[in-house]
Amino acid sequence: MKNMDADGDGRVAKAEFTGKPKAFGFMDANSDGYLSREELDKGLKRIRQRKQGGGGPASGGSGPQRHAMVEGRRPAQNQRRKKGGGGLSAEEILAVVSGKTLIFNAPSNGQELKVYFAPGGTVQLVSENNPNRIIRKKWFLNKKGRLCRTVGRQNRNHCTIVKKLGDGKLKLSNPKKGFSYEAQVKPGKALGG
């Protein structure tokens, strides 16, 4: 922290931060534009856990790992998400997808895609056109309370707002990127035929 705190005020401003800009946003738990010693320490610990695959925000376990991302959000953010029609809160998303399989009809090719969201933060995908090939990726909740999973060879983040539709169905969408999917939720790992 001493190396980054150029003005010596005991906190690190965004302009002083020497890491990746995305990491700053991840660690700034109260979104005040500064990192306190506590935020920096907790943020670095969470980043290390994610890199090691040890729990992290999407972990299905109990205690601080499961709710790390939820606790990093302000209560007002949870309220806005519920009142503004922006989808489920982070807590609700965890309850709906962790340890379950979502079955999509992929809009790009009309084929079925099964995605299992393991409690430990990993994802397993199986497509109808190649049912014997299981693709493994990661999932997590971002600071905006969106459900994200890594996609493609570069492991880009694919983040969506999640809404319940009824009859065990969810709507996952990202209005800014212009896509929307519906998925059937199945309990447990349901990747087989």
Side-chain angles (χ1 to χ4, degrees):
M1 183 159 178
K2 289 179 185 177
N3 295 338
M4 289 188 277
D5 184 14
D7 61 7
D9 65 354
R11 58 190 186 165
V12 177
K14 195 170 193 173
E16 296 172 312
F17 189 68
T18 57
K20 293 180 182 180
K22 204 174 201 179
F24 185 91
F26 180 77
M27 289 191 265
D28 187 14
N30 62 3
S31 301
D32 67 352
Y34 295 93
L35 295 179
S36 66
R37 165 58 81 189
E38 183 180 337
E39 286 175 314
L40 190 61
D41 290 344
K42 282 183 179 180
L44 290 172
K45 182 178 179 181
R46 284 177 34 211
I47 288 170
R48 278 188 223 106
Q49 285 176 335
R50 282 177 122 181
K51 285 183 179 181
Q52 295 169 355
S59 172
S62 61
Q65 286 183 343
R66 177 180 172 124
H67 303 290
M69 197 57 81
V70 176
E71 290 173 359
R73 297 174 62 216
R74 296 181 303 233
Q77 288 174 309
N78 280 325
Q79 297 296 324
R80 259 197 316 275
R81 182 147 316 278
K82 288 178 185 175
K83 290 180 184 172
L88 302 177
S89 70
E91 290 270 348
E92 292 167 321
I93 292 170
L94 283 171
V96 170
V97 303
S98 184
K100 298 182 180 84
T101 301
L102 275 58
I103 302 174
F104 300 87
N105 273 332
S108 60
N109 60 16
Q111 299 207 1
E112 191 174 81
L113 176 69
K114 296 177 181 178
V115 183
Y116 172 64
F117 290 83
T122 59
V123 170
Q124 294 179 15
L125 299 94
V126 172
S127 67
E128 185 177 27
N129 65 345
N130 197 351
N132 296 323
R133 180 175 177 228
I134 297 176
I135 299 169
R136 289 174 174 78
K137 297 289 182 177
K138 301 247 182 234
W139 74 277
F140 59 96
L141 299 173
N142 71 8
K143 275 191 158 187
K144 293 180 181 179
R146 293 186 177 185
L147 175 64
C148 302
R149 66 177 176 87
T150 55
V151 296
R153 290 187 176 146
Q154 285 108 15
N155 288 319
R156 294 182 319 272
N157 292 340
H158 179 79
C159 300
T160 56
I161 296 169
V162 180
K163 294 181 181 180
K164 281 188 180 179
L165 296 177
D167 294 330
K169 288 189 177 181
L170 298 175
K171 178 179 180 181
L172 293 89
S173 63
N174 188 322
K176 285 187 179 180
K177 298 207 176 181
F179 64 80
S180 176
Y181 312 108
E182 286 188 16
Q184 184 72 39
V185 180
K186 297 287 183 186
K189 188 175 179 180
L191 298 178

